[in-house]
Every structure is written in C-alpha cells, then in structure tokens.
Amino acid sequence: MRNLLVTIRYRGTNYHGFQVQKNAVSVCQVFQDAQEKVFGGRLDIKGCSRTDAGVHANEFCLNFWTDRAIPCHKVPLALNAHLPEDVAVTACREVPLDFHARYDCCGKEYCYLVHNSPVRDPFLEGLAWRYPRRLDDQALDHGAKAFLGTHDFSAFCSTGSTVEDPVRTLYSFQVRRQGDLVRFVVRGDGFLYNMVRILVGTLVQASEKGYTPEMLEEILSSKERSRAGRTAPPWGLYLNRVFYSQQELLDVQP
Amino acid sequence: MRNLLVTIRYRGTNYHGFQVQKNAVSVCQVFQDAQEKVFGGRLDIKGCSRTDAGVHANEFCLNFWTDRAIPCHKVPLALNAHLPEDVAVTACREVPLDFHARYDCCGKEYCYLVHNSPVRDPFLEGLAWRYPRRLDDQALDHGAKAFLGTHDFSAFCSTGSTVEDPVRTLYSFQVRRQGDLVRFVVRGDGFLYNMVRILVGTLVQASEKGYTPEMLEEILSSKERSRAGRTAPPWGLYLNRVFYSQQELLDVQP
C-alpha cells in the first residue's frame, strides 16, 4: 500500500467547491473520475480543505491510498489526460502511510485579488473582485497588520458555522498594488469559515471610511460578526499554498 | 455629425474574430448589438484590423459616426452595460470626421504568449500556447532580430491570401521569459495574414533545431512559405497596441 500526496491547481468558476456535493459538480468529483480511470477504482480522497463555490486554488493538496505501482513522476500526466481544462495535477509524491492532507496541514496561505478599476477587464472576469473606487493600498496594508498574531476571530466568521475553537494565528498579512491589481496575501495556521473574505471586505470598507487600525482592533475584540464588513465575493479568492512543515510556514517573505 | 474612436479589449475564445461573419458570432456583431441600444441605430463600424478566430485583443480600435450627443467619457460605461463579459470598451474619444480606424492606422504591436511547461495551467487555458520542451528565450530573442527592418515577408504569409504588396517593416521584435511564460512582442507598420503566428512558429522550430540567424535570413529571402515553420495556434496571440501616430510607433521600449 502506498499513500500519494497530489497537488492540484484549479479555476473554481464552474465548481461548487472542492468537497463532493449532491446535485452540484465539485472539483473532488472530477478528480475522482480521472483517478478511477488511472488507478482502476474509486478511492477515498482526503482534501486539505473545503473551498467555497467559485473559489480558485493555485495549490490544493489531497492524498489517497493505492496498491498501484504507477511511479509518482508519471501521475500528473496520467491524471491530466482525464481531467477537464480547468483542473490540473501539478505534482505527486509518496508520503508515510499515516499522512492525512487535512489533519497534518499546519497552515495555509490565501491570496485575494481586487481589480481596482472603474472599467471591466475581460481577462479578469471571474478571477478578481472588481472595485471601481480607488483604494489606498498602503492604508490597507497598514490596517491588515492589526490582525496579525493569535486572536479569537469570531467577528470574521460567517454566522451559522459551528467551530469549537475560534482562535487562529496569522503570521503575515500583506497588501500590495501592481497597476490596477490589489493583492491581499494572508498566511495563518488555519482560517474560520469565510474568514479571509470577511477580512478583505472589512479592510476595503475601513479604507473607504477612514477607520484607524485601532478601530479594526476594536472590531476584532468585539467578536461580533455584525461589527465587521461585508464578505468579499468568492471569485477573488485563491488558496495559494498549503503547509506541512512548520519551518516553511514561518519562513515569511518580507 | 461626430466621429467616435472607441478602444475595446476582448478575450477572443468564443468569437470567430472581429469581422462580422455568416453563421458565426464575431466581436463586431456583439459590439453592434450594444451600440444599437446606446446610439439608437445600427451604425457602420470601421475596425482597425480583422483578427482570426480565437485571437485576443488587449487593445483594438474602431470608429463610427453618430448624431447622438452622448459625452465621450460616458460611452464606455454605457456600452459595457450591454456587452458580454469577454468584451469591454476601455476608452472613447472624438476624432476628425475623415478619420478611419483601418486606413489611418500606421502600425500595430502584437504579443504572443507561450506557456513553456510540461504541465497544464488551468488559468492559462485558451490564453497561451503550451509548449512542453524547454525553450531558450535568449536564442529566440537573438533569432527574432533577423526579421527586423523592411522585407518581403511572403515566406511568412499563409498561402491562399491575396495581398498586393508583401513588403512590411518590423521596428522591434523581442522575446522575454518570465517564469514559465515566454512573451514575444513584435511591432511593425503592418502584418500579412498569419504573419505573427508563422514568425513565432518558425522561431520556436529554429530554437529546437539550432538554426542560426543566417538560416532564418535565408528562409526570409526564399519568399517560400514551405521553408518557414508551422503556424503557431491562434489562442496565444494578442493584438496589443494600435498606432495612429508615427512618433508613438517608433518610440520603441528598449
């Protein structure tokens, strides 16, 4: 028996997230269809995370166990031959038998893309949140630092979700502008339901209304969802990196 | 009567080029549908160029004459409200009554994108030509210089096209790598049918087979299409800029 860790990349537009759902196409489902053809059977898949409908992944990890002896370097091409154009396997490696893509994950990095322009861009449709009024990226970056460290992030969790422990640690949170694109990159040990999208929505609203970092800290410590801003739309969100090594997770780019 | 010069941007995947065609959807057709709603009538449109099916445009220019007094700065939003997601108006300005988007064009710049990777990228599907074997971008850039200047480009024109004069002038032709993306940018006073795609196909083939720049010059002077390489696929090609000023055309970035 072998345990394979597979990295995939997908454009989430046409999917209802990663997790298999009734009456909706998921990334996991199209992956399983390909896997069945290559590995000769429907295998149990462990994904690193659920992602919401429309959310993208530059890097998403999953693992499964198989008896087949297909060499790891041949797995991407073999699976890609059976996957649709918007999903691709980028890597495969063998891991210890007790490895689990979700339980062994020690952190994740998300990217959120805002297209800050009054004019639509046909090449960014479904790939970025278009925001017409000019955003102050330096103020956004400054505000983002208010969320660094270990906090109860209840104010940034969609209501209705049941999480036992709402405490998470953010290691880095940067906002950078490249032309019309404003890129939010946040790295942490874990994220509550919709947390990144609510953080981005709140920062954008704070930048518009001239909130100080102190006001953001107040929202955080209130633990009340109603105090935070709107949930930014899913199509700007990308799961960027998945960490299985604490050392890599803490090796934050300046 | 006013003459309006409108700049659009489009993802060409779902279109059979710009020009109106029977039994196929063209960019011009969806533009005319939007224009009819905003300007209250079907107006004659002059496009700067035909583009092939699947080819994209970062900048495409067209003009039309109208009696309507809609201010130029309101035209993009008004038209965009009626255009599909993959076509967007980015600018509009008034030009002299005798201006013609095609006849007054003194040059164009095209970009051709190669995704140089053995692995598919879901975010580049339909937006770049994927070429699996490693390309030598410095050799490609060196080879591209063989085509600079004024030449008879018959060897780089698809057979069957009837052009009176196959002489064109290329002002710049650069090849640069950014990670897995190899970007060809070529600027000239005009281009024959499929010329950019045959130039790119020939350079890639030359780089694979180790042709010298002298061999490329020989292909050029042979004027025989059969000596040049394959036509690179349409989905890597972007009309990048359209020039109406000789000064801007010759202001080549180093």
Side-chain angles (χ1 to χ4, degrees), chain B:
Chain B
M1 183 68 78
R2 304 157 72 210
N3 189 3
L4 299 183
L5 171 59
V6 169
T7 306
I8 62 174
R9 192 171 157 88
Y10 58 85
R11 182 181 164 129
T13 313
N14 299 320
Y15 300 98
H16 281 258
F18 179 78
Q19 209 69 14
V20 171
Q21 310 233 333
K22 278 183 190 163
N23 308 320
V25 181
S26 66
V27 177
C28 187
Q29 189 183 316
V30 299
F31 183 84
Q32 278 180 319
D33 292 345
Q35 186 202 44
E36 198 169 357
K37 289 184 181 111
V38 174
F39 289 89
R42 220 158 172 84
L43 306 167
D44 190 29
I45 289 171
K46 305 298 182 190
C48 65
S49 161
R50 290 155 179 268
T51 57
D52 285 332
V55 169
H56 315 290
N58 286 319
E59 180 181 297
F60 184 100
C61 292
L62 56 89
N63 75 294
F64 58 87
W65 294 265
T66 177
D67 286 321
R68 295 279 169 120
I70 305 168
C72 279
H73 72 275
K74 290 196 175 168
V75 170
L77 270 180
L79 287 170
N80 284 337
H82 299 283
L83 282 167
E85 287 192 342
D86 47 11
V87 181
V89 171
T90 55
C92 173
R93 64 187 173 98
E94 205 167 330
V95 286
L97 280 178
D98 63 349
F99 177 91
H100 188 291
R102 185 162 159 213
Y103 300 146
D104 288 331
C105 171
C106 61
K108 296 193 190 89
E109 182 180 281
Y110 280 93
C111 170
Y112 196 96
L113 270 192
V114 172
H115 179 219
N116 192 199
S117 164
V119 182
R120 285 199 286 112
D121 184 336
F123 297 101
L124 292 173
E125 289 297 329
L127 296 172
W129 176 26
R130 188 164 69 81
Y131 196 84
R133 287 180 300 280
R134 179 82 182 181
L135 290 169
D136 180 343
D137 46 296
Q138 295 196 339
L140 288 166
D141 187 59
H142 194 59
K145 308 306 187 220
F147 302 117
L148 290 181
T150 304
H151 307 282
D152 178 331
F153 279 98
S154 295
F156 299 91
C157 179
S158 278
T159 51
S161 81
T162 49
V163 175
E164 32 330 319
D165 180 9
V167 174
R168 296 290 184 274
T169 301
L170 296 191
Y171 299 109
S172 66
F173 199 166
Q174 293 178 336
V175 186
R176 295 281 182 273
R177 174 184 289 277
Q178 278 185 297
D180 283 347
L181 281 181
V182 178
R183 195 182 303 264
F184 297 70
V185 181
V186 59
R187 191 184 286 196
D189 64 349
F191 295 89
L192 305 174
Y193 185 53
N194 282 347
M195 180 167 149
V196 180
R197 290 164 54 192
I198 302 172
L199 284 169
V200 170
T202 302
L203 282 169
V204 165
Q205 191 170 314
S207 146
E208 283 274 20
K209 296 187 175 173
Y211 289 6
T212 60
E214 290 70 34
M215 291 163 87
L216 291 169
E217 282 166 22
E218 266 177 45
I219 295 171
L220 180 62
S221 58
S222 78
K223 300 177 199 168
E224 288 173 31
R225 171 69 188 89
S226 60
R227 296 281 306 276
R230 62 177 284 193
T231 307
W235 55 83
L237 187 63
Y238 297 71
L239 177 54
N240 222 19
R241 287 185 68 180
V242 185
F243 295 95
Y244 293 105
S245 143
Q246 198 76 24
Q247 197 186 332
E248 282 178 31
L249 174 65
L250 300 179
D251 180 21
V252 175
Q253 305 278 321

Side-chain angles (χ1 to χ4, degrees), chain A residues 151-156 166 217-227:
Chain A
H151 307 283
D152 179 331
F153 280 97
S154 295
F156 299 92
E217 281 165 24
E218 266 176 44
I219 294 171
L220 180 62
S221 58
S222 78
K223 300 175 198 168
E224 287 173 32
R225 172 67 189 91
S226 61
R227 297 280 306 275

Side-chain angles (χ1 to χ4, degrees), chain A residues 106-138:
Chain A
C106 60
K108 297 195 190 85
E109 183 180 280
Y110 280 92
C111 170
Y112 196 96
L113 271 191
V114 172
H115 179 218
N116 192 200
S117 164
V119 183
R120 288 198 286 113
D121 183 335
F123 297 101
L124 292 175
E125 288 298 328
L127 297 173
W129 175 25
R130 189 164 70 80
Y131 196 84
R133 288 181 298 280
R134 180 79 181 182
L135 291 169
D136 180 343
D137 46 297
Q138 295 196 341

